[in-house]
């Protein structure tokens, strides 16, 4: 039976460390600030934005919230980004994705000052991840790495399989595993015989968005299994991409959903905001 990797606990510990550091900064009158921009009324996005605001308050950051109507134009949004780029109190800028139809996600991401791009989605930051010269690591993959480390597993030399190749999870995930000398395979919707590729993994990271698609027969006994998925099962209950109940009998360690990767993403966002603060005005 697998050990449960408690993302909630690891996240709380990291946020506690950040809170202590921010308390010290506050004594010198310095407070890191995160601007969060939400366009439109998507209920899931509203929940994410609220959670980010709460996390900011908890660690002692200032948060600046911009709730814009779905009718916002590209020009209006880009102009807000320009203002935030110039604002000395704003260390990090996060635009909640997806944006409503008609808005140009690429243009918005590329307008954010890379030094304030705490999601690490700007091409400048993506490129830096490729070459190892990064300022920030993308929040979800960075959170996954923390969870893998938490298990005491050495990535070096291990067979690592990442299922999913999105720009925000799968691709950067593969780069981070490679940076730690894992032997990395990236799978996607055209992968042939996914089950046997997964079954070769010592470390299996799944980020697809299909409820319980990874079953016990696809998992090597003793593997570390990280489930990034946030899906709904047949009863509408939150679940992951991994069939937790069967896979936990085979894996050596596994993340639950909820309570695994999700809380880590927010902790890493807080960490990136603190890093952004230090890079821009830590010594001023
Ligand atoms: P995405 O952009 O939709 O990408 C999904 C990936 O899965 C694609 O690369 C796709 O392949 C691949 N895929 C689809 N069907 C497949 C199949 N049958 N076999 C193998 N691969 C398949 O999704 P995402 O943004 O990366 O998110 C993935 C999941 O993680 C979602 O459930 C999302 O909600 C969750 N998520 C969670 C967090 C968190 O903080 N916990 C953060 C981000 C995302 P193609 O490229 O070939 O289409």
């Amino acid at each position: 039976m697998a050990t449960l990797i408690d993302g909630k606990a690891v996240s709380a510990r990291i946020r506690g460390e950040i809170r202590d550091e921010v308390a010290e900064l506050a004594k010198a009158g310095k407070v890191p600030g995160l601007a969060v921009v939400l366009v439109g009324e998507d209920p899931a996005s509203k929940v994410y934005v609220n959670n980010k605001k709460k996390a900011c308050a908890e660690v002692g950051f200032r948060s600046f919230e911009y709730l814009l109507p779905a009718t916002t134009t590209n020009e209006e949004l880009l102009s807000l980004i320009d203002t935030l780029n110039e604002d000395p109190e704003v260390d990090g800028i996060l635009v909640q994705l997806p944006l409503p139809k008609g808005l140009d996600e690429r243009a918005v991401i590329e307008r954010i000052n890379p030094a304030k791009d705490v999601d690490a989605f700007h091409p400048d930051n993506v490129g830096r991840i490729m070459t190892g010269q990064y300022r920030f690591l993308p929040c979800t993959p960075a959170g996954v790495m923390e969870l893998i480390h938490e298990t005491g597993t050495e990535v070096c030399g291990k067979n690592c399989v990442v299922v999913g190749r999105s720009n925000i999870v799968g691709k950067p995930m593969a780069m981070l595993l490679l940076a730690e000398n894992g032997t990395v395979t990236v799978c996607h919707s055209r992968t042939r015989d996914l089950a046997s590729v997964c079954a070769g993994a010592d470390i299996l990271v799944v980020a697809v968005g299909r409820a319980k698609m990874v079953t016990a027969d696809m998992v090597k006994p003793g593997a570390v299994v990280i489930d990034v998925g946030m899906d709904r099962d047949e009863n509408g209950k939150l679940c992951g991409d991994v069939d937790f109940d069967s896979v936990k009998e085979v894996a050596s360690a596994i993340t639950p959903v909820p309570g695994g990767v999700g809380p880590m993403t927010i902790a890493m966002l807080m960490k990136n905001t603190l890093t952004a603060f230090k890079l821009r005005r830590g010594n001023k």
Side-chain angles (χ1 to χ4, degrees):
M1 172 101 155
T3 306
L4 203 67
I5 312 170
D6 187 346
K8 249 180 156 170
V10 180
S11 165
R13 192 180 70 219
I14 292 170
R15 284 181 284 130
E17 289 162 6
I18 296 170
R19 189 176 54 232
D20 292 347
E21 215 176 321
V22 174
E24 281 305 308
L25 289 169
K27 285 183 194 162
K30 295 176 174 182
V31 183
L34 175 67
V36 182
V37 181
L38 172 64
V39 188
E41 300 289 328
D42 180 62
S45 293
K46 278 185 174 173
V47 172
Y48 296 145
V49 164
N50 245 329
N51 289 343
K52 287 166 188 171
K53 208 170 89 182
K54 266 198 247 162
C56 281
E58 189 200 285
V59 300
F61 290 166
R62 290 179 72 190
S63 65
F64 309 90
E65 198 182 25
Y66 296 86
L67 304 177
L68 309 180
T71 50
T72 302
T73 62
N74 278 309
E75 291 66 31
E76 286 165 340
L77 187 52
L78 292 174
S79 154
L80 172 61
I81 304 291
D82 289 343
T83 306
L84 298 175
N85 281 340
E86 294 301 319
D87 188 334
E89 301 292 310
V90 171
D91 297 291
I93 302 171
L94 182 147
V95 178
Q96 187 65 45
L97 302 180
L99 290 172
K101 273 208 181 91
L103 289 176
D104 185 346
E105 230 161 72
R106 267 286 125 219
V108 170
I109 289 171
E110 288 182 19
R111 193 71 156 245
I112 296 172
N113 175 353
K116 294 189 176 190
D117 168 40
V118 285
D119 260 336
F121 292 165
H122 189 288
D124 183 79
N125 286 321
V126 175
R128 284 168 177 272
I129 293 157
M130 293 285 289
T131 56
Q133 300 161 292
Y134 55 81
R135 301 180 179 93
F136 317 111
L137 292 177
C139 299
T140 302
V144 170
M145 292 309 292
E146 293 279 347
L147 293 179
I148 293 170
H149 296 153
E150 192 66 19
T151 66
T153 306
E154 274 263 341
V155 174
C156 183
K158 297 277 162 51
N159 284 335
C160 305
V161 173
V162 179
V163 190
R165 57 172 167 179
S166 68
N167 289 335
I168 62 168
V169 190
K171 281 184 202 160
M173 188 69 247
M175 292 311 301
L176 301 194
L177 290 163
L178 187 61
E180 291 199 10
N181 302 312
T183 302
V184 183
T185 306
V186 182
C187 300
H188 45 78
S189 64
R190 323 280 172 88
T191 297
R192 287 193 203 145
D193 198 1
L194 181 69
S196 73
V197 180
C198 289
D202 303 305
I203 299 171
L204 177 62
V205 181
V206 191
V208 172
R210 292 176 126 218
K212 303 182 186 182
M213 71 168 278
V214 170
T215 46
D217 56 304
M218 298 167 73
V219 176
K220 181 175 175 175
V224 171
V225 178
I226 310 284
D227 188 352
V228 182
M230 293 224 282
D231 314 310
R232 297 274 164 192
D233 69 10
E234 57 285 3
N235 302 314
K237 210 175 137 219
L238 191 62
C239 71
D241 290 345
V242 174
D243 181 25
F244 182 85
D245 288 336
S246 69
V247 172
K248 76 176 191 309
E249 303 299 330
V250 181
S252 65
I254 186 169
T255 56
V257 178
V261 175
M264 293 303 295
T265 299
I266 291 204
M268 294 298 112
L269 175 66
M270 299 297 112
K271 194 170 168 182
N272 283 349
T273 304
L274 184 56
T275 302
F277 165 86
K278 286 180 188 166
L279 287 175
R280 267 189 348 105
R281 55 185 176 130
N283 298 321
K284 288 179 196 158

